[in-house]
Amino acid sequence: MDIVGDDQPDRLVGMNVFYSLLTWVVIYFSLAYGLEASGKVSYLTMGFPLVILFVFLGRSLTLEGSENGINEYIGESNWGIFSDHPEIWSRAVSQILFSLGTVGIMTAYGSHCKRNEPAFLNSCVVALSNSMFSFISGFAVFATLGHLAYLEGLDSVADLECLEAGQLRWARFQVGNIGFDCSSSCFSCLG
């Protein structure tokens, strides 16, 4: 994609427009037909990403060099990066607040619970599930980064060009014959 001036795209990507329209159509029909329809849609919208995550995790763990990425994810701790780059804290907190806060799932979930539901227990389960999903996603991403470092002949994931100050920037993952482009909307949350 061509970038002009202040990093603004200069054209529309047809597939992104299509998927955005499809998303809004699904949202419309979910809301138009009430809680029962949105409940059925949520089985797909929550279940399918979990299936895709475990497919991605399984594929990335079988690649050569993935163990180096996993080692850098949980094996070698560099706690100094949190003090060297304090903006990491604000990004992490904003992600959690977005996922679970007033604009996230907790408010919507709480508004549809029955009066005698164990709200505290349910909110803890949702919060822990969200954190576990992120933790497992880290294994998939770092295993893939380990493979990418292996393909480029690098000793460490930290030496990859797509990492700046310990943060994943725009990257293209080539996994076998399947490319995962982080600059697409599918993986934009990694950047």
Side-chain angles (χ1 to χ4, degrees), residues 7 22 24 26 30 33 35-37 42 47 49 66 99 104 111 128 130 140 145-146 161 167 179 183 191:
D7 294 337
L22 178 66
W24 282 108
V26 169
S30 297
Y33 294 105
L35 271 181
E36 189 173 316
S42 70
S66 64
S99 296
S111 67
L128 289 174
N130 180 54
L145 287 173
E161 290 180 16
Q167 299 175 18
S183 60

Side-chain angles (χ1 to χ4, degrees), residues 56-70:
F56 186 38
L57 178 65
R59 177 65 178 125
S60 62
L61 290 176
T62 62
L63 298 170
E64 291 183 81
S66 64
E67 63 277 352
N68 294 335
I70 298 296

